[in-house]
Amino acid sequence: GGCQEHDDFDVYNNKVVATARPDGKTCYDYFDLFGNELTSMDNSEYPVTGEWTVTGKPATFTGTIKFDPNKNTPYAQAQGMDVPGTYKFTWTVTRKDKSGNQVCTPVSATTVVERLGLTADADANTTSNVLQYCDGDDFNLSGSSVDGTVVEGQWTVESYTGGAKSTIHFGDETNSGQNSFATKVLGIDPGQQATLVWTVFYHDLQSCKAESSVTVKNRTIPATISGNRNAAGDKVLASTCTASTSLNAIDVSTKDGASGKWVKELSSYRGDITNENSNATTFNNMADGETVVLKWIVTTVSPLEQGGNLTCTDEDFRYLAGDGGDSFRRAVGTERDLRHRQ
């Protein structure tokens, strides 16, 4: 055989691959992106680089998306998605020679991110976060609407001045309206208030939520005549051996907007109230053999933010019965009716 010459040369597979994490949702203004690692494709002659770019964003977005720590890191966090909507992030892998010339066609993979956005309003009908009503009235809540399928909502009690929060109900005693944006609240006693929270959240991503609170005040101040009531609690039993009898009710003068007044249920009743505006006074000159019904009426006037006033009243009744003698009068009972007396 003759002499032979040959050259050694290396063959490189310069094909590149790009992958990105699956599409996702977030309720925050950031999202973690995962592009594929590049080290397995890299070589000294034809290095590989990767770059994240924003290839889609909401039409109303005017801000700037930043990649942390930088746009050339496969594992980067996209930050600044402050407008709800759809964003697209593309991971592009490129191979170049040492002179910077592109080798082969770059390959890309895209992650679509849905930036969720929720807002909640516990009182969508007004601008106030303090609502007032009178005892005996149905108080209707109006939270921001939800469709109940994609976005759901729930009412909860944050605080209650009248005792256990569990005494507050939504819709009815079984809380059938707890997930309805428009429902009734029950169980706020006269003179008490509750702070209620309306929370809206995505059905398939319940960690993504928004909350709003409203304080609901039952502005009726109870009218209560003092005395030892019977076992049922609906009567005050007392007696007197004079032509006059004392009248005593719980003072409401320290309650915001409240005032009390004693009145005869019928103007034809004989007898006189010494000081009708005092919770502690006397009733004099009642006629023999006549039953007199006296009322202690508490009126509460509360200014409303939208203008005007809310006026609430409550009544307690005291029955005085003449026993037929000039000097003997007997109080046979006090009956309480928070709403009206037939």
Side-chain angles (χ1 to χ4, degrees), residues 262 273-282:
W262 290 99
I273 301 169
T274 302
N275 184 351
E276 65 182 14
N277 299 118
S278 174
N279 66 296
T281 188
T282 57

Side-chain angles (χ1 to χ4, degrees), residues 263-316:
V263 298
K264 293 184 289 186
E265 188 174 46
L266 299 177
S267 60
S268 60
Y269 289 147
R270 287 170 288 181
D272 306 299
I273 301 169
T274 302
N275 184 351
E276 65 182 14
N277 299 118
S278 174
N279 66 296
T281 188
T282 57
F283 184 71
N284 307 307
N285 306 318
M286 188 175 72
D288 295 333
E290 182 178 60
T291 298
V292 177
V293 180
L294 300 176
K295 296 193 294 185
W296 172 243
I297 303 174
V298 173
T299 301
T300 308
V301 180
S302 307
L304 299 173
E305 287 190 12
Q306 60 268 37
N309 295 314
L310 174 70
T311 301
C312 303
T313 59
D314 191 30
E315 301 176 342
D316 204 359

Side-chain angles (χ1 to χ4, degrees), residues 36 46 63 75 97 102 117 124 132 136 141-142 155 167 172 199 208 223 238 244 280 289 299 303 310 329-330:
N36 59 305
Y46 302 98
Y75 302 103
D97 60 25
Q102 181 177 296
Q132 306 178 90
L141 296 169
S142 297
W155 288 102
T167 62
D172 57 26
T199 302
C208 189
S244 299
T299 301
L310 174 70
R329 305 288 182 270
R330 180 164 55 87

Side-chain angles (χ1 to χ4, degrees), residues 21-137:
R21 69 171 294 180
D23 300 342
K25 299 178 180 180
T26 181
C27 51
Y28 308 105
D29 65 352
Y30 58 85
F31 189 81
D32 290 328
L33 300 170
F34 303 145
N36 59 305
E37 289 283 0
L38 306 178
T39 53
S40 62
M41 295 182 290
D42 203 9
N43 63 70
S44 58
E45 296 294 327
Y46 302 98
V48 175
T49 59
E51 181 180 10
W52 284 107
T53 55
V54 180
T55 52
K57 57 187 178 181
T60 57
F61 179 79
T62 59
T64 301
I65 300 295
K66 297 181 180 180
F67 297 96
D68 183 37
N70 57 65
K71 64 181 180 180
N72 301 114
T73 302
Y75 302 103
Q77 186 179 84
Q79 301 173 346
M81 296 181 292
D82 56 3
V83 174
T86 301
Y87 294 79
K88 295 181 180 181
F89 300 100
T90 298
W91 174 242
T92 302
V93 177
T94 304
R95 188 186 296 278
K96 297 181 179 180
D97 60 25
K98 291 183 177 180
S99 300
N101 299 311
Q102 181 177 296
V103 178
C104 298
T105 302
V107 180
S108 299
T110 298
T111 297
V112 178
V113 179
E114 186 69 21
R115 164 67 160 92
L116 303 175
L118 288 175
T119 58
D121 188 349
D123 183 36
N125 288 343
T126 73
T127 59
S128 175
N129 63 348
V130 177
L131 305 176
Q132 306 178 90
Y133 75 111
C134 296
D135 193 54
D137 297 338

